[in-house]
Amino acid sequence: MAPDNPRPVILDVDTGVDDALAIALACRLPELEVIGVTTVAGNVDQRQATENTRRVLHFLGAIDVPVAPGMTGPLVRPHQDARAYHGPNGLGGFELPPSPGRMVGAHAPEFIIQAAREHQGELDMICLAPLTNLAVALRLEPELPRFLHRVVVMGGAFTVPGNITPYAEFNIWVDPEAAAIVARSELPVTFVGLDVTTRVRFTREQWERCRGLDHAEARLIAGISTWAFEHRQVDSYALHDPLCVAALAVPSVVGLDQAAVTVDTGLWNTVGETRLLRGDGARPEHLIALDVDVERFTVLFSETLGLPLA
Ligand code: BDR
Ligand code: CA
């Protein structure tokens, strides 16, 4: 049964194959109302992330969702992208038609602050990219933690190795200073890292079955997955960003722990490493997803997007 009052939410993205699927899931879940999407440099540069986001929204018929472009690079370090993983245009080389939709005038951090003030205490954010936009918003509006209801962050590798280095997860590694600002803040953050996101996967079998379907969601996932299954020749890939959307809409999909999160911002090979500090008292504590109900997520993802289960 659809909930009476969907939760207002902003997605912060670097679209990206799994970001595109997260956008689709968020737009289709009855628990959520996507009031805006902000973009940032991450998997691809900010311009490409913005273009991809607009095209994905348009393809899904969600043309009214405003898109606010944000930071064009990390706070301190040079930007390093993940095109090798996500394909030359970030969407596995899949070409979506251009979007005629209007863009928001506001810059992403400003858009986040304005929306948080308007929806005081009710707005959630799902951050699926380097945390540059949110860190800047925090610097511009130190009261932001009072205005936001919850922030779900795709980031970190707490009990497992990283995916960009043996120590670090990509989103945190790209802008560790921004991640450290967010982790040290009083924002009500839920970290959803590789500990759980690598366990929920889209498989080659599902992809092959999607290719016979003709609705927008199936065509999107079939098109953007070609890079993974034909070029990278993997048998499955992780649905990192969609799991974060599910974790906000249906919190019991993940099992949560409580601890303070620290981020390595040094100059050595451990940069971007995320660690858990328990019982420290001096630092704000956050929620960290260390368990996931894989079956529940798979059903939710597949049913919501009209895709085959396996
Ligand atoms: C994260 O990095 C990006 O490549 C994905 O879109 C996801 O947000 C996983 O480490
Ligand atoms: Ca992402």
Side-chain angles (χ1 to χ4, degrees), residues 153-201:
V153 167
M154 192 292 123
F158 300 95
T159 60
V160 297
N163 59 355
I164 186 76
T165 74
Y167 304 98
E169 180 280 325
F170 178 77
N171 288 341
I172 303 292
W173 178 82
V174 169
D175 197 345
E177 284 73 22
I181 289 172
V182 170
R184 278 198 303 259
S185 77
E186 299 285 342
L187 281 172
V189 180
T190 302
F191 284 91
V192 179
L194 301 180
D195 313 74
V196 286
T197 62
T198 53
R199 293 169 56 190
V200 294
R201 309 193 70 85

Side-chain angles (χ1 to χ4, degrees), residues 7-21:
R7 321 185 55 81
V9 62
I10 290 178
L11 306 180
D12 187 58
V13 298
D14 57 344
T15 312
V17 170
D18 60 330
D19 300 77
L21 300 176

Side-chain angles (χ1 to χ4, degrees), residues 8-146:
V9 62
I10 290 178
L11 306 180
D12 187 58
V13 298
D14 57 344
T15 312
V17 170
D18 60 330
D19 300 77
L21 300 176
I23 292 170
L25 186 61
C27 287
R28 295 294 184 255
L29 278 171
E31 288 86 356
L32 305 179
E33 182 195 357
V34 182
I35 65 155
V37 184
T38 53
T39 64
V40 69
N43 290 324
V44 289
D45 61 69
Q46 182 259 44
R47 275 175 75 103
Q48 182 82 60
T50 305
E51 188 58 30
N52 290 351
T53 303
R54 298 180 71 209
R55 289 183 184 218
V56 167
L57 286 167
H58 175 231
F59 193 71
L60 293 167
I63 198 160
D64 292 338
V65 176
V67 177
M71 301 300 289
T72 54
L75 294 181
V76 176
R77 302 175 194 245
H79 174 223
Q80 305 205 44
D81 67 33
R83 281 179 201 257
Y85 184 90
H86 291 268
N89 66 351
L91 292 177
F94 187 52
E95 283 298 332
L96 292 168
S99 166
R102 206 169 42 89
M103 297 245 289
V104 193
H107 194 230
E110 195 186 339
F111 179 81
I112 293 165
I113 294 167
Q114 276 172 7
R117 284 189 185 138
E118 262 167 46
H119 293 266
Q120 257 195 50
E122 286 179 2
L123 181 68
D124 292 314
M125 270 195 78
I126 307 179
C127 298
L128 305 173
L131 288 162
T132 325
N133 285 336
L134 187 55
V136 171
L138 268 170
R139 285 291 195 251
L140 292 173
E141 175 49 279
E143 293 293 304
L144 196 61
R146 278 204 305 120

